């Protein structure tokens, strides 16, 4: 099955700096790579996703890059703000019977943005 | 709130007892998923429904676990003869469009087995 590795496990940056989180996946059949943000005690929420036919996607301060050959993808947050502090999970998926998405998640990165 | 709702939010039980969690997905979503999340880990896939049909189950789902979605709307996850290792957050998610791929998660049901 799919295996997703995520680094680093914790990341501390100064407000205004950039943060980069990296993930690798094992199953070349995976074609969908979302990133979820989870605040303490809250539900995971999608912040950005990318499909395997695209190399990069950007949404304001957040960008994701995908290297299919190397099977790794990264999350980039620029101009970090205190409200960016949370746990970030990468995931990879393949399509299930009936068309559903089975997400395999990384172990998470605790991002702390310090004032 | 028209998001995914889960009940109860917290459950404390003694080892050996049975527990049941309920999930109400976003109303028009036909796909429903159960995940389990332990402290410091990402969510792990447990099972998936399309409408009322349970189409995939993880090997993590032992025979003590059973999930249903009888009318293709809400779903229940039952754990029989709970063990301390079952303590976790049980997350429900729903989705509609395979091309979009986004899963909408509920707030979860936290289980503590004493």
């Amino acid at each position: 099955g799919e295996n997703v590795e995520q680094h680093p496990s914790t990341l501390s940056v100064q407000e205004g700096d950039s943060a980069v989180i990296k993930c690798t996946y094992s199953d070349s059949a995976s074609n969908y790579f979302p990133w979820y943000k989870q605040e303490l005690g809250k539900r995971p929420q999608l912040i950005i996703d990318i499909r395997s036919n695209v190399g990069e996607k950007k949404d304001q301060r957040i960008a994701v890059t995908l290297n299919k050959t190397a099977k790794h993808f990264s999350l980039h947050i620029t101009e970090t703000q205190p409200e960016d502090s949370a746990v970030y999970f990468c995931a990879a998926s393949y399509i299930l019977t009936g068309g559903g998405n089975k997400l395999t998640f990384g172990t998470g990165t605790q991002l702390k943005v310090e004032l | 709130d028209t998001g995914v709702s889960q009940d109860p939010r917290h459950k404390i039980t003694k080892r050996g007892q049975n527990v049941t969690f309920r999930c109400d997905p976003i109303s028009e979503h036909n796909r429903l998923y159960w995940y389990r999340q332990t402290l410091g880990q990402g969510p792990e896939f447990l099972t998936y429904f399309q409408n009322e049909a349970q189409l995939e189950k993880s090997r993590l789902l032992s025979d003590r676990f059973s999930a249903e979605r009888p009318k293709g709307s809400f779903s229940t996850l039952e754990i029989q003869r709970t063990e301390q290792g079952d303590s976790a957050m049980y997350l429900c998610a729903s989705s509609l469009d395979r091309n979009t791929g986004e899963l909408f998660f509920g707030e979860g049901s936290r289980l503590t087995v004493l």
Side-chain angles (χ1 to χ4, degrees), chain B residues 79-91:
Chain B
I79 309 173
Q80 296 181 324
R81 305 182 303 281
T82 52
E83 301 173 355
Q84 287 186 325
D86 297 331
S87 296
M89 177 73 84
Y90 290 86
L91 291 164

Side-chain angles (χ1 to χ4, degrees), chain A residues 21-34:
Chain A
I21 302 170
K22 298 182 178 181
C23 290
T24 60
Y25 62 99
S26 61
D27 189 348
S28 57
S30 291
N31 59 4
Y32 174 66
F33 307 92

Side-chain angles (χ1 to χ4, degrees), chain B residues 5 21-25 32 34 49 51-52 68-76 92:
Chain B
S5 61
F21 301 116
R22 176 180 169 125
C23 171
D24 286 89
L32 186 147
W34 285 98
F49 290 85
N51 300 312
E52 67 277 6
E68 295 182 342
R69 194 182 183 198
K71 297 183 179 179
S73 56
F74 73 91
S75 175
T76 58
C92 177

Side-chain angles (χ1 to χ4, degrees), chain A residues 1-9 20-35 50 64-75 88-93 103-109:
Chain A
E2 175 68 276
N3 182 52
V4 176
E5 295 190 355
Q6 182 172 349
H7 300 280
S9 57
V20 179
I21 302 170
K22 298 182 178 181
C23 290
T24 60
Y25 62 99
S26 61
D27 189 348
S28 57
S30 291
N31 59 4
Y32 174 66
F33 307 92
W35 287 86
I50 192 167
V64 58
T65 59
L66 171 65
N67 183 326
K68 281 185 60 181
T69 302
K71 289 192 276 189
H72 66 70
F73 56 113
S74 301
L75 177 71
Y88 292 80
F89 292 99
C90 62
S93 82
L103 293 179
T104 300
F105 285 85
T107 50
T109 296

Side-chain angles (χ1 to χ4, degrees), chain B residues 44-59:
Chain B
E44 295 174 295
F45 173 82
L46 292 179
T47 190
Y48 154 66
F49 290 85
Q50 178 165 300
N51 300 312
E52 67 277 6
Q54 187 175 22
L55 297 183
E56 181 147 341
K57 291 171 60 174
S58 166
R59 284 169 289 181

Side-chain angles (χ1 to χ4, degrees), chain A residues 1 32 36 38 41-44 46 49 51 89 94-108, chain B residues 1 3-4 9 31 33 35 37 40-43 45 48 50 55-56 91 98-107:
Chain A
Y32 174 66
Y36 281 79
Q38 188 174 30
K42 300 292 186 182
R43 70 188 77 194
L46 180 74
D49 56 14
R51 299 193 174 273
F89 292 99
Y94 64 86
I95 302 300
L96 296 165
T97 302
N101 265 320
K102 176 181 177 179
L103 293 179
T104 300
F105 285 85
T107 50
Chain B
D1 186 354
V4 177
R9 295 290 312 280
R31 300 191 178 96
Y33 310 77
Y35 282 78
Q37 186 176 26
Q41 299 295 316
F45 173 82
Y48 154 66
Q50 178 165 300
L55 297 183
E56 181 147 341
L91 291 164
R98 67 173 282 185
N99 292 326
T100 300
E102 179 176 0
L103 268 59
F104 293 82
F105 283 89
E107 298 279 6

